Amino acid sequence: MASVTPNEPPVPKRRVPTQLRSRERVERILDASSRIVVERGVDALTTRAVSELAKVPVASIYQYFADKDAILLALVERDTEEMDEQVRTDLGRLELLSLETIVATTMRAYVSVYHRRPSFVEIWLRGRTNAAVRDYGRRHNERTAAEVLEFAVAAGLARPDTPMAAAVLAVEIGDRVFQLAFEKDLRGDEFLIEEGIALVTSYLRRYATDTDGIRP
Amino acid sequence: MASVTPNEPPVPKRRVPTQLRSRERVERILDASSRIVVERGVDALTTRAVSELAKVPVASIYQYFADKDAILLALVERDTEEMDEQVRTDLGRLELLSLETIVATTMRAYVSVYHRRPSFVEIWLRGRTNAAVRDYGRRHNERTAAEVLEFAVAAGLARPDTPMAAAVLAVEIGDRVFQLAFEKDLRGDEFLIEEGIALVTSYLRRYATDTDGIRP
Amino acid sequence: MASVTPNEPPVPKRRVPTQLRSRERVERILDASSRIVVERGVDALTTRAVSELAKVPVASIYQYFADKDAILLALVERDTEEMDEQVRTDLGRLELLSLETIVATTMRAYVSVYHRRPSFVEIWLRGRTNAAVRDYGRRHNERTAAEVLEFAVAAGLARPDTPMAAAVLAVEIGDRVFQLAFEKDLRGDEFLIEEGIALVTSYLRRYATDTDGIRP
Amino acid sequence: MASVTPNEPPVPKRRVPTQLRSRERVERILDASSRIVVERGVDALTTRAVSELAKVPVASIYQYFADKDAILLALVERDTEEMDEQVRTDLGRLELLSLETIVATTMRAYVSVYHRRPSFVEIWLRGRTNAAVRDYGRRHNERTAAEVLEFAVAAGLARPDTPMAAAVLAVEIGDRVFQLAFEKDLRGDEFLIEEGIALVTSYLRRYATDTDGIRP
DNA sequence: AATGAATGAGGATTCATTCAT
DNA sequence: TATGAATGAATCCTCATTCAT
């Protein structure tokens, strides 16, 4: 419906190439969302809150994201990719492949990303409140489990008949260790992390081969 | 749904001693809440929903509970007590005390309560969405850890210098095993539960004495 | 969620018996809705608009009405009852029952209510935009058709085998005559009303008996 | 649905003479609108929906149509012309001109167009929701009435002093007959259509001359 | 103690339209 | 001419909580 009182022409703003602005705004939205989640929790992530902090009209958010969940998901995806990348890199650099080094390296890679990305700690470890995020998390854990298992089997460290569920359990347990270690402290409790590594390692020993360790 | 036709004056109800009514109503509220949580999830636990199912006016709920979180908390406490009781009973019946039997008995005691109390599964394992519940959960896990550790040390099975944090970690890990095992299946995934018991046991071996097992 | 800054205690208002206030507010809501519909059309009937005009918070509207459609429906029901009552009364007063007098009396009864209730003109004749209202309208027309037909058959004026659809058609046609007659003019175009009466009468002659007219 | 991943630069499209594209696109917009209205009702006719179905950017719609109402209007006009054409053709073919044949032929011409153009049924008969359409409808009915009356007077079938309003009433009544006949059934209720023809004819007899029928 | 009634605050999402390019 | 992007204004409705009685 046309309004009788026409909108005032908006104060002209500095022109910026559209393509760029768009990308920049998506970033702004994600950053704002990230901050909100870290500072006030997942439930505080409302369209309005994002809009205010990102200084982007609520309606505009819907230009970039299908709905609210999509924001959270994008946030998680962004961090998750970095996470996976870190794990891959760190594993690739290993000079001695063994159950111990693989578990330790993987888990420490996670820790380093958690340090870099506090929002990830909040969303991933503290606030897996949102169904979309939770599902994504589960799936990601499953994917990770599958990849690491394959890697370990290929390296002759894990028995080929290791049940998938065991690998998933290991990953999930690692996840919970992190949840606990980062519960109170954004830096992560060192003792718990160490224990967690030991814990996961000792569990996985059940599915290990006799191979002690190999040089890639 | 609000009605257009003004409400009829309420049919006078049989008087019941207040004290009794009160207790009964609290139970009704908790039962209703429990059903809602199980059937529709924690988010569906609205005062209105409780009011309708429990047939207690919304405003009256506030006679018994300070706020909505308090309901959830009460729910958890109710189930939690049962849980602790079960653990105590089952541990008390043990004929051979050893690391293995303590861990297995404790974890199976949990499983049996989860079977009896599906609402507990929902709240505790699936929907730890609510800050109050989450905090309560943490504290309960800490309490449980302390108790079991004390028990194990007294029995000469755990080293006296076992760090509290290790015990808590063990409990938390068990918790996550259950989260995973009950994720899809209200009966709990048997394989995961078995693995979980092994996992916790193998971890705790680090803090075990040389004692193999004792008869209480 | 509890707010940190508690609401200021509202300025105390003149106490009014609750029961009364409630009824009064429902009336206020209906009156406001009526005005909105008359002055700005059915589409302008938004919860916000009603709230503002009735000086009742939006949320409170939902105490009395299940949803927006319910308001419109209540409006229609209110007027509709009056309409039916008028028709019954006027038909009851007839001294000579004949096809002509029945049709003319019924239609004039409608006109008199339209005069009294301009909102009805708007909703009923102009804005049958809303699905709920439209359906209600259809059903009401069917009911009216059935009643009048039964009446006419009982009086020996209409043939017993008159198809229901013919009666409904007659009523609907009358309805459209009114739509047209009141289109521009809230008083109704006299010529069109007269013609409409003739039109309906001449159509119904097809189903008339030979009886000329009877005294009740 | 907005995508998180930035839009790919668009694949360059084959150039087409502007004039042609323009006409073609207007058609596409109208066809899409037509389908939307038929399948989902007038309310579902949003710029976005049209844009998606017509594969024309939302903003571009505004190149061809001043606003949303204009689309609906154009739709109606398009169908309306076909309608008028059909009436003219069918009347022109009449071998015996009489009140009966004129009314019947005209109304049946309408029916045949309704059969061909279901969108017309939806917009015209069911969804006269939109003010613009409603007004257009009224005006068209008036024009039609004038034309048919002139035709009938010229043929010596209608009295020269027949009031315009009577002719309009007849057309409007016919319109309502169709509304009713097509309410539930896209094919139209045969009984109602027959009755409607009889109804309109019997009404117009009031303004007929003594001439029985003539051969053009 | 009990409760019907009241409500402020906020929720997500959609829409028609207008720019800047 | 064409359009991606932007947005102000609205939409309906729900919720937890508080009061006046």
Side-chain angles (χ1 to χ4, degrees):
Chain A
M1 306 269 140
S3 166
V4 178
T5 44
N7 311 317
E8 303 298 322
V11 180
K13 291 173 187 164
R14 190 178 295 281
R15 230 69 55 72
V16 174
T18 303
Q19 200 70 24
L20 282 186
R21 268 214 41 213
S22 188
R23 194 157 307 198
E24 183 195 309
R25 294 177 112 215
V26 169
E27 283 305 316
R28 267 232 304 289
I29 291 170
L30 286 180
D31 291 342
S33 303
S34 173
R35 264 191 63 187
I36 291 167
V37 166
V38 172
E39 289 168 13
R40 296 190 270 141
V42 172
D43 280 351
L45 189 75
T46 65
T47 51
R48 190 199 292 218
V50 173
S51 154
E52 272 164 21
L53 193 57
K55 300 211 184 304
V56 167
V58 175
S60 296
I61 296 175
Y62 285 85
Q63 287 264 314
Y64 312 111
F65 299 94
D67 54 28
K68 211 189 58 166
D69 279 359
I71 299 179
L72 217 40
L73 226 43
L75 225 47
V76 172
E77 273 169 20
R78 190 170 75 164
D79 294 339
T80 271
E81 271 169 34
E82 190 177 336
M83 180 77 89
D84 295 344
E85 185 53 34
Q86 185 77 48
V87 171
R88 255 179 258 119
T89 306
D90 291 1
L91 282 183
R93 283 195 188 129
L94 268 187
E95 298 195 344
L96 177 71
L97 280 181
S98 70
L99 186 59
E100 282 76 18
T101 57
I102 289 179
V103 169
T105 302
T106 303
M107 289 183 73
R108 285 200 219 283
Y110 273 70
V111 170
S112 76
V113 177
Y114 288 140
H115 284 170
R116 272 209 303 284
R117 294 262 179 204
S119 74
F120 204 24
V121 173
E122 189 61 36
I123 299 175
W124 201 244
L125 298 182
R126 298 183 179 174
R128 226 164 306 166
T129 267
N130 178 279
V133 174
R134 203 164 43 229
D135 290 350
Y136 184 88
R138 280 276 185 263
R139 281 200 308 278
H140 184 259
N141 281 351
E142 283 170 14
R143 234 161 30 232
T144 302
E147 279 175 29
V148 175
L149 177 57
E150 189 183 15
F151 180 80
V153 169
L157 294 166
R159 294 212 303 270
D161 60 341
T162 307
M164 200 39 217
V168 171
L169 181 60
V171 173
E172 290 278 343
I173 288 300
D175 201 63
R176 178 58 156 265
V177 168
F178 293 134
Q179 274 191 325
L180 200 59
F182 285 84
E183 173 81 350
K184 291 159 205 152
D185 180 1
L186 262 182
R187 304 300 308 164
D189 181 308
E190 255 310 314
F191 174 75
L192 285 175
I193 292 168
E194 285 309 310
E195 291 285 295
I197 292 173
L199 189 158
V200 172
T201 308
S202 83
Y203 168 60
L204 286 178
R205 199 138 283 301
R206 307 181 115 213
Y207 298 102
T209 61
D210 291 337
T211 316
D212 255 11
I214 61 169
R215 253 148 249 287
Chain B
M1 225 144 280
S3 165
V4 177
T5 43
N7 309 313
E8 305 296 325
V11 180
K13 291 173 189 164
R14 190 179 295 280
R15 228 71 53 71
V16 174
T18 305
Q19 200 66 29
L20 282 186
R21 275 227 11 231
S22 188
R23 191 160 309 198
E24 183 195 311
R25 294 177 115 210
V26 168
E27 282 306 314
R28 270 232 303 290
I29 291 170
L30 287 180
D31 291 341
S33 303
S34 173
R35 266 192 61 187
I36 291 166
V37 166
V38 173
E39 288 168 14
R40 298 190 270 140
V42 171
D43 280 350
L45 189 75
T46 65
T47 50
R48 197 213 290 208
V50 174
S51 153
E52 270 164 22
L53 194 58
K55 299 201 185 309
V56 169
V58 176
S60 297
I61 295 175
Y62 286 84
Q63 295 273 326
Y64 313 111
F65 297 94
D67 54 28
K68 208 188 63 165
D69 282 356
I71 300 179
L72 217 41
L73 220 46
L75 220 51
V76 173
E77 275 169 16
R78 192 171 73 164
D79 292 340
T80 270
E81 270 169 34
E82 189 177 339
M83 180 76 90
D84 295 344
E85 185 52 35
Q86 183 79 45
V87 171
R88 254 178 258 121
T89 307
D90 291 1
L91 282 183
R93 283 194 189 130
L94 267 186
E95 299 195 342
L96 176 71
L97 281 181
S98 70
L99 185 59
E100 283 75 17
T101 56
I102 289 178
V103 169
T105 302
T106 304
M107 289 182 74
R108 286 200 219 283
Y110 273 70
V111 170
S112 76
V113 176
Y114 288 141
H115 283 172
R116 270 210 303 285
R117 295 260 179 206
S119 75
F120 204 24
V121 172
E122 192 61 39
I123 300 175
W124 199 246
L125 298 182
R126 299 183 177 174
R128 225 162 308 165
T129 266
N130 179 280
V133 174
R134 205 162 44 227
D135 290 350
Y136 184 87
R138 281 280 184 262
R139 280 200 310 278
H140 182 259
N141 281 351
E142 283 170 13
R143 231 158 35 230
T144 302
E147 279 175 28
V148 175
L149 177 57
E150 188 183 14
F151 181 81
V153 169
L157 294 166
R159 294 211 304 270
D161 62 341
T162 307
M164 203 32 222
V168 172
L169 180 60
V171 173
E172 290 278 343
I173 288 302
D175 200 62
R176 178 57 155 266
V177 168
F178 292 134
Q179 273 192 326
L180 201 58
F182 285 84
E183 173 83 348
K184 292 159 205 151
D185 181 1
L186 261 183
R187 305 300 309 165
D189 181 308
E190 257 309 313
F191 175 75
L192 286 174
I193 292 168
E194 286 308 310
E195 291 285 293
I197 292 173
L199 189 158
V200 172
T201 308
S202 84
Y203 167 60
L204 287 178
R205 198 137 284 301
R206 307 181 116 215
Y207 297 103
T209 61
D210 291 337
T211 316
D212 255 11
I214 61 169
R215 254 149 248 286
Chain C
M1 305 269 142
S3 166
V4 178
T5 43
N7 310 316
E8 303 299 322
V11 181
K13 290 174 187 163
R14 190 178 295 281
R15 229 71 54 70
V16 175
T18 303
Q19 200 70 22
L20 283 186
R21 268 209 50 208
S22 189
R23 194 159 305 199
E24 183 196 309
R25 294 178 110 215
V26 169
E27 283 305 315
R28 268 231 304 291
I29 292 170
L30 286 180
D31 291 342
S33 302
S34 172
R35 265 192 62 188
I36 291 167
V37 166
V38 172
E39 287 168 15
R40 297 189 269 141
V42 171
D43 280 350
L45 189 74
T46 65
T47 51
R48 191 202 292 217
V50 174
S51 154
E52 271 164 21
L53 193 58
K55 299 208 185 306
V56 166
V58 175
S60 295
I61 296 175
Y62 286 85
Q63 286 263 316
Y64 312 111
F65 299 95
D67 55 28
K68 211 189 56 166
D69 280 358
I71 300 180
L72 218 41
L73 226 44
L75 226 47
V76 172
E77 275 169 18
R78 191 170 75 165
D79 293 340
T80 270
E81 271 169 34
E82 190 177 337
M83 179 76 90
D84 295 344
E85 185 52 34
Q86 184 77 48
V87 171
R88 254 179 259 119
T89 307
D90 290 3
L91 282 183
R93 283 196 189 128
L94 269 186
E95 297 195 345
L96 177 70
L97 282 181
S98 69
L99 186 59
E100 282 75 16
T101 57
I102 290 178
V103 170
T105 303
T106 303
M107 289 183 73
R108 284 200 220 283
Y110 271 69
V111 170
S112 75
V113 177
Y114 287 139
H115 283 170
R116 271 209 303 283
R117 295 261 179 204
S119 74
F120 203 24
V121 172
E122 190 60 37
I123 300 176
W124 201 245
L125 297 182
R126 299 183 179 174
R128 227 165 305 167
T129 266
N130 178 280
V133 174
R134 202 166 43 230
D135 290 350
Y136 184 87
R138 280 276 185 265
R139 281 200 309 277
H140 183 261
N141 281 351
E142 283 170 13
R143 234 163 29 234
T144 302
E147 280 175 28
V148 175
L149 177 56
E150 189 184 14
F151 180 80
V153 169
L157 294 167
R159 294 212 304 271
D161 61 342
T162 308
M164 198 41 215
V168 171
L169 180 61
V171 173
E172 289 279 342
I173 289 301
D175 201 61
R176 178 57 156 264
V177 168
F178 293 134
Q179 274 192 325
L180 200 59
F182 285 84
E183 173 80 351
K184 292 159 204 150
D185 181 0
L186 263 182
R187 305 299 310 162
D189 182 308
E190 256 310 315
F191 175 75
L192 286 176
I193 291 167
E194 286 308 312
E195 291 285 295
I197 291 173
L199 189 159
V200 172
T201 308
S202 84
Y203 167 60
L204 285 179
R205 199 139 283 301
R206 308 182 113 212
Y207 297 103
T209 59
D210 291 340
T211 316
D212 255 10
I214 60 169
R215 252 149 251 286
Chain D
M1 229 146 276
S3 165
V4 178
T5 43
N7 309 312
E8 306 296 324
V11 180
K13 291 174 190 164
R14 190 179 296 281
R15 227 72 52 73
V16 175
T18 305
Q19 201 67 29
L20 281 186
R21 276 232 2 237
S22 188
R23 190 159 311 198
E24 184 195 310
R25 293 178 115 209
V26 168
E27 283 305 314
R28 270 233 301 291
I29 291 170
L30 287 180
D31 290 342
S33 303
S34 172
R35 265 192 62 187
I36 290 166
V37 166
V38 173
E39 288 168 15
R40 298 190 270 140
V42 171
D43 279 350
L45 189 75
T46 65
T47 50
R48 196 214 289 209
V50 173
S51 153
E52 270 165 22
L53 194 58
K55 299 203 185 308
V56 168
V58 176
S60 298
I61 295 174
Y62 286 83
Q63 296 273 325
Y64 313 111
F65 298 94
D67 55 26
K68 209 189 61 167
D69 282 356
I71 299 179
L72 217 41
L73 220 48
L75 220 49
V76 173
E77 276 169 16
R78 192 171 73 165
D79 293 339
T80 271
E81 271 169 33
E82 190 177 339
M83 179 75 90
D84 295 345
E85 185 52 34
Q86 185 78 46
V87 171
R88 254 178 257 119
T89 307
D90 290 3
L91 282 183
R93 283 194 188 129
L94 268 185
E95 299 195 342
L96 177 70
L97 280 180
S98 69
L99 184 60
E100 281 76 17
T101 57
I102 291 178
V103 170
T105 302
T106 304
M107 288 183 73
R108 286 199 218 283
Y110 272 71
V111 170
S112 76
V113 177
Y114 287 140
H115 284 171
R116 269 209 305 286
R117 294 259 179 207
S119 75
F120 204 26
V121 172
E122 192 60 39
I123 299 175
W124 200 245
L125 298 182
R126 298 182 178 175
R128 226 165 305 170
T129 266
N130 180 279
V133 174
R134 206 163 42 227
D135 290 351
Y136 183 88
R138 282 278 185 262
R139 282 200 309 278
H140 182 260
N141 281 350
E142 284 170 13
R143 234 162 30 233
T144 302
E147 279 176 29
V148 175
L149 178 57
E150 189 183 13
F151 180 81
V153 169
L157 294 167
R159 294 212 302 271
D161 60 344
T162 308
M164 205 30 222
V168 171
L169 180 61
V171 173
E172 290 279 342
I173 288 301
D175 200 60
R176 177 58 155 264
V177 168
F178 292 135
Q179 273 192 326
L180 202 57
F182 285 84
E183 172 83 348
K184 292 158 204 151
D185 181 1
L186 261 182
R187 304 301 307 164
D189 181 309
E190 258 308 315
F191 175 75
L192 285 175
I193 293 168
E194 286 307 311
E195 291 285 295
I197 292 173
L199 189 159
V200 172
T201 309
S202 84
Y203 168 60
L204 287 179
R205 198 139 284 301
R206 307 182 115 212
Y207 298 103
T209 60
D210 292 338
T211 316
D212 254 10
I214 61 168
R215 255 149 247 287

